[in-house]
């Protein structure tokens, strides 16, 4: 599995973007520039429309490759039913869900994040997905995860957060369909709390309830009930799951749970319009938990950047039920989101230096593409929020930018991962003529007719032949800082795909299907 996704503070050794905003706005200049940057939006967008459509089609195919359980209408010849007895020791059906990456573990923390991001993408860009006949696939993929999460929450103050023993799992190399080792369950409860994973699961449930509200209201209500219970559990019994379950520190270690509490409360506010959740993220905990004024990187571990953008949505579009003090908190979230955007723009006075020579956002060597994809997704979202609200200008320490500048940045990151890089390699498997052939993925690396056990499958890990099954749509870990990539099956640092990166990628590409997007209300 992918690891080592630390917060921006650790990843940049304490460096901050230190972006401040110039509030002296020239309204006349904005008006004159309006038509100009609108035209540029169309030009930039047209370049990537065809690419985005083709790539999105391949993404959902990969997400199906990561599924566990009884596969329905399965058209992937090298995948079959697996993990059918997961949860049976506690009389639970935990057969569904996703394997997190190239192994056969079900880690609840990144899986819930995958669901939250996929929900966000559907809510913002569902029309785009529908235009390329992928909306139903997205909803189906989301429900495959949330079905699992519902079953993993059998009582109010208990949540099963892991299926499988990662140490035992990593002593094997086998197809998921033939695995036979024990798959123990790990839970959090009032004695061994796990605030971040409970809160992230609450966020997944709340955001998904919005997706299903109009198409399956009873299911949406069930999700919302679980979301409320999980948030109360997470907030009442505070404690890091990394402390309660030390084993996860090697794989998906948490650097704090305050961001997940705010993230969950924000999604619950969107789903319920219950003012207590908005008050929670502004008046009650904003100052203590939100890291206002300190830009961070969005990832499965750190939700702060996504949170700043998501709450900016409320401030940008306005809301009648927001009090004066709550609005002051929302303004702080928006200012921090603006600082994040300024840091991403390459020629901004406050641009982050965390880039490769060719311009790819680069933070850590393990799974390096997670941060540029996440950053580009947020940039597209924020640019569309600006367009919808008629906000023409973003000010970065005295220099002004328009929405098309954010989209141009996002497109540059997509261009890079699809082949416009020094390696001239697409990091999305199946896209283009040159992509990784030795992906660190068990199902892809072992022939479908091989009846492997725990250890005899290692011959396929060590094989010098390319993977017999092409994992189309898999986004591998990515390049090193020097922009090199070693295509080796043993190179899990660079060559292992993850489901959460794929969820971010589908959000990003869905946003780029057209030249601009007038976003709609979630409700």
């Amino acid at each position: 599995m992918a690891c080592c996704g630390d917060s921006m503070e650790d990843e940049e050794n304490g460096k901050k973007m230190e972006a401040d905003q110039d509030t002296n706005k020239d309204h006349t200049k904005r008006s004159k520039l309006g038509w100009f940057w609108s035209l540029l939006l169309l030009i930039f967008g047209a370049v990537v429309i065809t690419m985005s459509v083709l790539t999105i089609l391949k993404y959902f195919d990969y997400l199906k490759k990561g599924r566990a359980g009884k596969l329905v209408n399965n058209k992937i010849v090298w995948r079959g039913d697996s993990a059918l007895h997961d949860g049976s020791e506690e009389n639970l059906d935990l057969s569904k869900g996703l394997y997190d990456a190239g192994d056969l573990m079900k880690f609840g923390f990144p899986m819930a994040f995958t669901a939250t991001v996929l929900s966000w993408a559907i809510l913002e860009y569902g029309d785009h997905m529908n235009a390329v006949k992928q909306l139903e696939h997205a909803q189906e993929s989301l429900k495959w995860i949330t079905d699992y999460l519902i079953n993993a929450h059998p009582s109010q103050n208990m949540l099963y957060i892991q299926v499988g023993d990662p140490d035992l799992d990593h002593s094997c190399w086998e197809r998921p369909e033939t695995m036979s080792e024990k798959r123990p369950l790990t839970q959090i409860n009032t004695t061994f709390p796990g605030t971040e994973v409970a809160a992230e699961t609450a966020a997944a449930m709340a955001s998904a309830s919005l997706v299903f509200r109009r198409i399956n209201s009873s299911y949406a209500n069930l999700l919302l009930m679980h979301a409320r219970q999980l948030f109360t559990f997470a907030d009442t019994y505070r404690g890091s799951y990394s402390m309660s379950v030390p084993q996860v520190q090697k794989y998906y270690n948490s650097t704090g749970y305050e961001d997940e509490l705010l993230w969950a409360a924000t999604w619950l506010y969107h789903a319920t319009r219950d003012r207590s959740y908005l008050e929670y993220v502004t008046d009650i905990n904003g100052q203590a938990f939100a890291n206002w004024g300190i830009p961070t990187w969005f990832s499965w571990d750190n939700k702060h950047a996504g949170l700043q953008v998501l709450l900016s949505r409320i401030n940008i579009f306005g809301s009648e039920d927001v009090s004066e003090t709550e609005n002051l908190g929302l303004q702080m979230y928006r200012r921090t989101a603006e600082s994040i955007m300024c840091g991403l723009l390459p020629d901004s006075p406050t641009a982050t230096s965390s880039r490769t020579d060719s311009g790819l956002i680069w933070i850590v060597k393990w799974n390096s593409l997670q941060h540029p994809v996440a950053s580009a997704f947020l940039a597209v979202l924020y640019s569309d929020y600006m367009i919808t609200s008629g906000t023409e200008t973003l000010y970065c320490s005295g220099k002004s930018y328009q929405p098309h500048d954010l989209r141009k940045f996002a497109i540059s990151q997509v261009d890079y991962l699809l082949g416009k890089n020094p390696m001239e390699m697409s990091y999305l498997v199946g896209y283009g003529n040159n992509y990784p052939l030795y992906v660190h993925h068990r199902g892809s690396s072992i022939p479908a007719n091989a009846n492997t056990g725990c250890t005899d499958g290692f011959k396929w890990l060590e094989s010098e032949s390319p993977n017999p099954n092409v994992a189309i749509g898999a986004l591998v870990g990515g390049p090193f800082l020097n922009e090199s990539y070693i295509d080796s099956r043993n190179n899990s640092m660079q060559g292992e795909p993850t489901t959460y990166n794929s969820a971010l990628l589908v959000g990003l590409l869905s946003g780029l299907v057209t030249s601009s997007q007038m976003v709609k209300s979630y409700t």
Side-chain angles (χ1 to χ4, degrees), residues 161-186:
I161 64 165
Q162 183 176 297
V163 179
D165 179 335
D167 295 330
L168 177 60
D169 181 84
H170 284 80
S171 68
C172 302
W173 190 266
E174 59 192 330
R175 299 178 65 241
E177 294 78 7
T178 62
M179 61 179 171
S180 58
E181 66 272 14
K182 292 182 178 180
R183 292 176 63 77
L185 305 180
T186 304

PDB file of all heavy atoms in Angstrom, residues 161-186:
ATOM      1  N   ILE A 161     -12.443  -0.787  11.260  1.00  0.00           N
ATOM      2  CA  ILE A 161     -11.637   0.110  10.430  1.00  0.00           C
ATOM      3  C   ILE A 161     -10.625  -0.616   9.568  1.00  0.00           C
ATOM      4  O   ILE A 161      -9.907   0.027   8.790  1.00  0.00           O
ATOM      5  CB  ILE A 161     -10.894   1.131  11.315  1.00  0.00           C
ATOM      6  CG1 ILE A 161      -9.897   0.416  12.239  1.00  0.00           C
ATOM      7  CG2 ILE A 161     -11.875   1.970  12.109  1.00  0.00           C
ATOM      8  CD1 ILE A 161      -8.874   1.330  12.868  1.00  0.00           C
ATOM      9  N   GLN A 162     -10.560  -1.941   9.680  1.00  0.00           N
ATOM     10  CA  GLN A 162      -9.549  -2.675   8.922  1.00  0.00           C
ATOM     11  C   GLN A 162      -9.950  -4.134   8.794  1.00  0.00           C
ATOM     12  O   GLN A 162     -10.437  -4.734   9.737  1.00  0.00           O
ATOM     13  CB  GLN A 162      -8.195  -2.558   9.627  1.00  0.00           C
ATOM     14  CG  GLN A 162      -7.024  -3.209   8.930  1.00  0.00           C
ATOM     15  CD  GLN A 162      -5.724  -2.943   9.666  1.00  0.00           C
ATOM     16  OE1 GLN A 162      -5.298  -1.798   9.793  1.00  0.00           O
ATOM     17  NE2 GLN A 162      -5.104  -3.992  10.181  1.00  0.00           N
ATOM     18  N   VAL A 163      -9.739  -4.680   7.604  1.00  0.00           N
ATOM     19  CA  VAL A 163      -9.904  -6.115   7.385  1.00  0.00           C
ATOM     20  C   VAL A 163      -8.580  -6.653   6.848  1.00  0.00           C
ATOM     21  O   VAL A 163      -8.093  -6.202   5.809  1.00  0.00           O
ATOM     22  CB  VAL A 163     -11.037  -6.422   6.396  1.00  0.00           C
ATOM     23  CG1 VAL A 163     -11.154  -7.932   6.178  1.00  0.00           C
ATOM     24  CG2 VAL A 163     -12.359  -5.857   6.879  1.00  0.00           C
ATOM     25  N   GLY A 164      -8.020  -7.606   7.574  1.00  0.00           N
ATOM     26  CA  GLY A 164      -6.739  -8.181   7.192  1.00  0.00           C
ATOM     27  C   GLY A 164      -5.630  -7.735   8.119  1.00  0.00           C
ATOM     28  O   GLY A 164      -5.726  -6.700   8.779  1.00  0.00           O
ATOM     29  N   ASP A 165      -4.590  -8.528   8.163  1.00  0.00           N
ATOM     30  CA  ASP A 165      -3.384  -8.214   8.927  1.00  0.00           C
ATOM     31  C   ASP A 165      -2.333  -7.742   7.933  1.00  0.00           C
ATOM     32  O   ASP A 165      -1.859  -8.533   7.108  1.00  0.00           O
ATOM     33  CB  ASP A 165      -2.905  -9.462   9.671  1.00  0.00           C
ATOM     34  CG  ASP A 165      -1.645  -9.232  10.482  1.00  0.00           C
ATOM     35  OD1 ASP A 165      -0.873  -8.313  10.142  1.00  0.00           O
ATOM     36  OD2 ASP A 165      -1.411  -9.979  11.446  1.00  0.00           O
ATOM     37  N   PRO A 166      -1.942  -6.465   7.952  1.00  0.00           N
ATOM     38  CA  PRO A 166      -1.015  -5.966   6.926  1.00  0.00           C
ATOM     39  C   PRO A 166       0.330  -6.666   6.923  1.00  0.00           C
ATOM     40  O   PRO A 166       0.936  -6.838   5.849  1.00  0.00           O
ATOM     41  CB  PRO A 166      -0.883  -4.479   7.252  1.00  0.00           C
ATOM     42  CG  PRO A 166      -1.316  -4.342   8.677  1.00  0.00           C
ATOM     43  CD  PRO A 166      -2.339  -5.402   8.891  1.00  0.00           C
ATOM     44  N   ASP A 167       0.811  -7.065   8.080  1.00  0.00           N
ATOM     45  CA  ASP A 167       2.093  -7.774   8.109  1.00  0.00           C
ATOM     46  C   ASP A 167       1.971  -9.152   7.455  1.00  0.00           C
ATOM     47  O   ASP A 167       2.835  -9.557   6.661  1.00  0.00           O
ATOM     48  CB  ASP A 167       2.582  -7.915   9.550  1.00  0.00           C
ATOM     49  CG  ASP A 167       2.890  -6.561  10.183  1.00  0.00           C
ATOM     50  OD1 ASP A 167       3.283  -5.637   9.444  1.00  0.00           O
ATOM     51  OD2 ASP A 167       2.724  -6.432  11.408  1.00  0.00           O
ATOM     52  N   LEU A 168       0.884  -9.846   7.749  1.00  0.00           N
ATOM     53  CA  LEU A 168       0.645 -11.146   7.120  1.00  0.00           C
ATOM     54  C   LEU A 168       0.364 -10.970   5.638  1.00  0.00           C
ATOM     55  O   LEU A 168       0.869 -11.733   4.807  1.00  0.00           O
ATOM     56  CB  LEU A 168      -0.531 -11.849   7.814  1.00  0.00           C
ATOM     57  CG  LEU A 168      -0.964 -13.206   7.240  1.00  0.00           C
ATOM     58  CD1 LEU A 168       0.185 -14.205   7.298  1.00  0.00           C
ATOM     59  CD2 LEU A 168      -2.183 -13.736   7.999  1.00  0.00           C
ATOM     60  N   ASP A 169      -0.418  -9.962   5.305  1.00  0.00           N
ATOM     61  CA  ASP A 169      -0.747  -9.723   3.901  1.00  0.00           C
ATOM     62  C   ASP A 169       0.495  -9.472   3.071  1.00  0.00           C
ATOM     63  O   ASP A 169       0.602  -9.943   1.930  1.00  0.00           O
ATOM     64  CB  ASP A 169      -1.692  -8.521   3.805  1.00  0.00           C
ATOM     65  CG  ASP A 169      -2.115  -8.213   2.389  1.00  0.00           C
ATOM     66  OD1 ASP A 169      -3.075  -8.844   1.913  1.00  0.00           O
ATOM     67  OD2 ASP A 169      -1.478  -7.352   1.753  1.00  0.00           O
ATOM     68  N   HIS A 170       1.454  -8.760   3.637  1.00  0.00           N
ATOM     69  CA  HIS A 170       2.659  -8.431   2.878  1.00  0.00           C
ATOM     70  C   HIS A 170       3.679  -9.558   2.850  1.00  0.00           C
ATOM     71  O   HIS A 170       4.723  -9.425   2.212  1.00  0.00           O
ATOM     72  CB  HIS A 170       3.275  -7.149   3.434  1.00  0.00           C
ATOM     73  CG  HIS A 170       2.537  -5.922   3.013  1.00  0.00           C
ATOM     74  ND1 HIS A 170       1.373  -5.514   3.623  1.00  0.00           N
ATOM     75  CD2 HIS A 170       2.756  -5.026   2.012  1.00  0.00           C
ATOM     76  CE1 HIS A 170       0.928  -4.424   3.032  1.00  0.00           C
ATOM     77  NE2 HIS A 170       1.744  -4.109   2.059  1.00  0.00           N
ATOM     78  N   SER A 171       3.366 -10.651   3.522  1.00  0.00           N
ATOM     79  CA  SER A 171       4.215 -11.839   3.399  1.00  0.00           C
ATOM     80  C   SER A 171       3.727 -12.732   2.277  1.00  0.00           C
ATOM     81  O   SER A 171       4.306 -13.792   2.023  1.00  0.00           O
ATOM     82  CB  SER A 171       4.220 -12.621   4.719  1.00  0.00           C
ATOM     83  OG  SER A 171       2.949 -13.203   4.972  1.00  0.00           O
ATOM     84  N   CYS A 172       2.659 -12.292   1.581  1.00  0.00           N
ATOM     85  CA  CYS A 172       2.078 -13.056   0.471  1.00  0.00           C
ATOM     86  C   CYS A 172       2.095 -12.226  -0.810  1.00  0.00           C
ATOM     87  O   CYS A 172       2.161 -11.003  -0.771  1.00  0.00           O
ATOM     88  CB  CYS A 172       0.623 -13.448   0.780  1.00  0.00           C
ATOM     89  SG  CYS A 172       0.381 -14.419   2.278  1.00  0.00           S
ATOM     90  N   TRP A 173       2.069 -12.928  -1.928  1.00  0.00           N
ATOM     91  CA  TRP A 173       1.833 -12.299  -3.232  1.00  0.00           C
ATOM     92  C   TRP A 173       0.933 -13.240  -4.009  1.00  0.00           C
ATOM     93  O   TRP A 173       1.363 -14.256  -4.522  1.00  0.00           O
ATOM     94  CB  TRP A 173       3.142 -12.042  -3.974  1.00  0.00           C
ATOM     95  CG  TRP A 173       2.954 -11.186  -5.201  1.00  0.00           C
ATOM     96  CD1 TRP A 173       2.766 -11.600  -6.481  1.00  0.00           C
ATOM     97  CD2 TRP A 173       2.906  -9.755  -5.235  1.00  0.00           C
ATOM     98  NE1 TRP A 173       2.602 -10.531  -7.315  1.00  0.00           N
ATOM     99  CE2 TRP A 173       2.693  -9.377  -6.574  1.00  0.00           C
ATOM    100  CE3 TRP A 173       3.014  -8.761  -4.263  1.00  0.00           C
ATOM    101  CZ2 TRP A 173       2.591  -8.039  -6.971  1.00  0.00           C
ATOM    102  CZ3 TRP A 173       2.923  -7.434  -4.659  1.00  0.00           C
ATOM    103  CH2 TRP A 173       2.720  -7.086  -5.992  1.00  0.00           C
ATOM    104  N   GLU A 174      -0.358 -12.911  -4.046  1.00  0.00           N
ATOM    105  CA  GLU A 174      -1.344 -13.838  -4.603  1.00  0.00           C
ATOM    106  C   GLU A 174      -2.517 -13.068  -5.176  1.00  0.00           C
ATOM    107  O   GLU A 174      -2.703 -11.884  -4.897  1.00  0.00           O
ATOM    108  CB  GLU A 174      -1.850 -14.780  -3.504  1.00  0.00           C
ATOM    109  CG  GLU A 174      -2.484 -14.023  -2.334  1.00  0.00           C
ATOM    110  CD  GLU A 174      -2.726 -14.891  -1.118  1.00  0.00           C
ATOM    111  OE1 GLU A 174      -2.947 -16.097  -1.284  1.00  0.00           O
ATOM    112  OE2 GLU A 174      -2.698 -14.339   0.000  1.00  0.00           O
ATOM    113  N   ARG A 175      -3.299 -13.758  -5.989  1.00  0.00           N
ATOM    114  CA  ARG A 175      -4.508 -13.160  -6.528  1.00  0.00           C
ATOM    115  C   ARG A 175      -5.550 -13.031  -5.416  1.00  0.00           C
ATOM    116  O   ARG A 175      -5.651 -13.901  -4.553  1.00  0.00           O
ATOM    117  CB  ARG A 175      -5.067 -14.016  -7.665  1.00  0.00           C
ATOM    118  CG  ARG A 175      -4.128 -14.170  -8.850  1.00  0.00           C
ATOM    119  CD  ARG A 175      -4.722 -15.061  -9.925  1.00  0.00           C
ATOM    120  NE  ARG A 175      -5.921 -14.438 -10.506  1.00  0.00           N
ATOM    121  CZ  ARG A 175      -7.124 -14.969 -10.475  1.00  0.00           C
ATOM    122  NH1 ARG A 175      -7.318 -16.135  -9.858  1.00  0.00           N
ATOM    123  NH2 ARG A 175      -8.153 -14.357 -11.049  1.00  0.00           N
ATOM    124  N   PRO A 176      -6.342 -11.971  -5.423  1.00  0.00           N
ATOM    125  CA  PRO A 176      -7.366 -11.838  -4.381  1.00  0.00           C
ATOM    126  C   PRO A 176      -8.364 -12.985  -4.395  1.00  0.00           C
ATOM    127  O   PRO A 176      -8.903 -13.376  -3.358  1.00  0.00           O
ATOM    128  CB  PRO A 176      -8.042 -10.500  -4.712  1.00  0.00           C
ATOM    129  CG  PRO A 176      -7.684 -10.197  -6.124  1.00  0.00           C
ATOM    130  CD  PRO A 176      -6.340 -10.816  -6.344  1.00  0.00           C
ATOM    131  N   GLU A 177      -8.591 -13.553  -5.574  1.00  0.00           N
ATOM    132  CA  GLU A 177      -9.569 -14.631  -5.704  1.00  0.00           C
ATOM    133  C   GLU A 177      -9.133 -15.919  -5.025  1.00  0.00           C
ATOM    134  O   GLU A 177      -9.976 -16.775  -4.719  1.00  0.00           O
ATOM    135  CB  GLU A 177      -9.853 -14.903  -7.193  1.00  0.00           C
ATOM    136  CG  GLU A 177     -10.532 -13.783  -7.937  1.00  0.00           C
ATOM    137  CD  GLU A 177      -9.599 -12.639  -8.337  1.00  0.00           C
ATOM    138  OE1 GLU A 177      -8.365 -12.768  -8.152  1.00  0.00           O
ATOM    139  OE2 GLU A 177     -10.092 -11.618  -8.846  1.00  0.00           O
ATOM    140  N   THR A 178      -7.850 -16.074  -4.786  1.00  0.00           N
ATOM    141  CA  THR A 178      -7.347 -17.335  -4.214  1.00  0.00           C
ATOM    142  C   THR A 178      -6.722 -17.163  -2.842  1.00  0.00           C
ATOM    143  O   THR A 178      -6.174 -18.118  -2.296  1.00  0.00           O
ATOM    144  CB  THR A 178      -6.298 -17.972  -5.161  1.00  0.00           C
ATOM    145  OG1 THR A 178      -5.179 -17.078  -5.299  1.00  0.00           O
ATOM    146  CG2 THR A 178      -6.903 -18.259  -6.524  1.00  0.00           C
ATOM    147  N   MET A 179      -6.808 -15.971  -2.251  1.00  0.00           N
ATOM    148  CA  MET A 179      -6.159 -15.772  -0.954  1.00  0.00           C
ATOM    149  C   MET A 179      -6.832 -16.646   0.108  1.00  0.00           C
ATOM    150  O   MET A 179      -8.051 -16.821   0.113  1.00  0.00           O
ATOM    151  CB  MET A 179      -6.179 -14.309  -0.541  1.00  0.00           C
ATOM    152  CG  MET A 179      -7.537 -13.696  -0.367  1.00  0.00           C
ATOM    153  SD  MET A 179      -7.395 -11.966   0.149  1.00  0.00           S
ATOM    154  CE  MET A 179      -9.097 -11.430   0.009  1.00  0.00           C
ATOM    155  N   SER A 180      -6.005 -17.168   1.001  1.00  0.00           N
ATOM    156  CA  SER A 180      -6.515 -18.109   2.006  1.00  0.00           C
ATOM    157  C   SER A 180      -6.052 -17.774   3.421  1.00  0.00           C
ATOM    158  O   SER A 180      -6.467 -18.439   4.367  1.00  0.00           O
ATOM    159  CB  SER A 180      -6.072 -19.536   1.653  1.00  0.00           C
ATOM    160  OG  SER A 180      -4.653 -19.610   1.571  1.00  0.00           O
ATOM    161  N   GLU A 181      -5.209 -16.772   3.586  1.00  0.00           N
ATOM    162  CA  GLU A 181      -4.720 -16.440   4.926  1.00  0.00           C
ATOM    163  C   GLU A 181      -5.836 -15.824   5.766  1.00  0.00           C
ATOM    164  O   GLU A 181      -6.849 -15.346   5.238  1.00  0.00           O
ATOM    165  CB  GLU A 181      -3.527 -15.486   4.858  1.00  0.00           C
ATOM    166  CG  GLU A 181      -3.806 -14.107   4.313  1.00  0.00           C
ATOM    167  CD  GLU A 181      -3.680 -14.034   2.800  1.00  0.00           C
ATOM    168  OE1 GLU A 181      -3.629 -15.087   2.133  1.00  0.00           O
ATOM    169  OE2 GLU A 181      -3.640 -12.896   2.283  1.00  0.00           O
ATOM    170  N   LYS A 182      -5.647 -15.798   7.058  1.00  0.00           N
ATOM    171  CA  LYS A 182      -6.641 -15.221   7.959  1.00  0.00           C
ATOM    172  C   LYS A 182      -6.758 -13.711   7.726  1.00  0.00           C
ATOM    173  O   LYS A 182      -5.769 -13.045   7.429  1.00  0.00           O
ATOM    174  CB  LYS A 182      -6.256 -15.488   9.417  1.00  0.00           C
ATOM    175  CG  LYS A 182      -6.333 -16.959   9.818  1.00  0.00           C
ATOM    176  CD  LYS A 182      -5.973 -17.140  11.290  1.00  0.00           C
ATOM    177  CE  LYS A 182      -6.091 -18.604  11.694  1.00  0.00           C
ATOM    178  NZ  LYS A 182      -5.749 -18.805  13.141  1.00  0.00           N
ATOM    179  N   ARG A 183      -7.985 -13.225   7.878  1.00  0.00           N
ATOM    180  CA  ARG A 183      -8.241 -11.791   7.674  1.00  0.00           C
ATOM    181  C   ARG A 183      -8.948 -11.242   8.909  1.00  0.00           C
ATOM    182  O   ARG A 183     -10.179 -11.070   8.927  1.00  0.00           O
ATOM    183  CB  ARG A 183      -9.070 -11.575   6.401  1.00  0.00           C
ATOM    184  CG  ARG A 183      -8.273 -11.931   5.146  1.00  0.00           C
ATOM    185  CD  ARG A 183      -9.082 -11.816   3.887  1.00  0.00           C
ATOM    186  NE  ARG A 183      -9.569 -10.476   3.589  1.00  0.00           N
ATOM    187  CZ  ARG A 183      -8.831  -9.493   3.079  1.00  0.00           C
ATOM    188  NH1 ARG A 183      -7.527  -9.684   2.850  1.00  0.00           N
ATOM    189  NH2 ARG A 183      -9.370  -8.319   2.810  1.00  0.00           N
ATOM    190  N   PRO A 184      -8.174 -10.980   9.961  1.00  0.00           N
ATOM    191  CA  PRO A 184      -8.770 -10.496  11.218  1.00  0.00           C
ATOM    192  C   PRO A 184      -9.360  -9.099  11.057  1.00  0.00           C
ATOM    193  O   PRO A 184      -8.977  -8.335  10.161  1.00  0.00           O
ATOM    194  CB  PRO A 184      -7.591 -10.493  12.185  1.00  0.00           C
ATOM    195  CG  PRO A 184      -6.384 -10.335  11.308  1.00  0.00           C
ATOM    196  CD  PRO A 184      -6.703 -11.082  10.045  1.00  0.00           C
ATOM    197  N   LEU A 185     -10.272  -8.780  11.959  1.00  0.00           N
ATOM    198  CA  LEU A 185     -10.925  -7.475  11.953  1.00  0.00           C
ATOM    199  C   LEU A 185     -10.327  -6.582  13.036  1.00  0.00           C
ATOM    200  O   LEU A 185      -9.948  -7.061  14.102  1.00  0.00           O
ATOM    201  CB  LEU A 185     -12.421  -7.616  12.202  1.00  0.00           C
ATOM    202  CG  LEU A 185     -13.195  -8.552  11.277  1.00  0.00           C
ATOM    203  CD1 LEU A 185     -14.661  -8.576  11.677  1.00  0.00           C
ATOM    204  CD2 LEU A 185     -13.035  -8.147   9.826  1.00  0.00           C
ATOM    205  N   THR A 186     -10.275  -5.294  12.768  1.00  0.00           N
ATOM    206  CA  THR A 186      -9.805  -4.313  13.734  1.00  0.00           C
ATOM    207  C   THR A 186     -10.888  -3.272  13.932  1.00  0.00           C
ATOM    208  O   THR A 186     -11.429  -2.741  12.954  1.00  0.00           O
ATOM    209  CB  THR A 186      -8.511  -3.634  13.257  1.00  0.00           C
ATOM    210  OG1 THR A 186      -7.514  -4.618  12.998  1.00  0.00           O
ATOM    211  CG2 THR A 186      -7.997  -2.654  14.299  1.00  0.00           C
TER     212      THR A 186
END
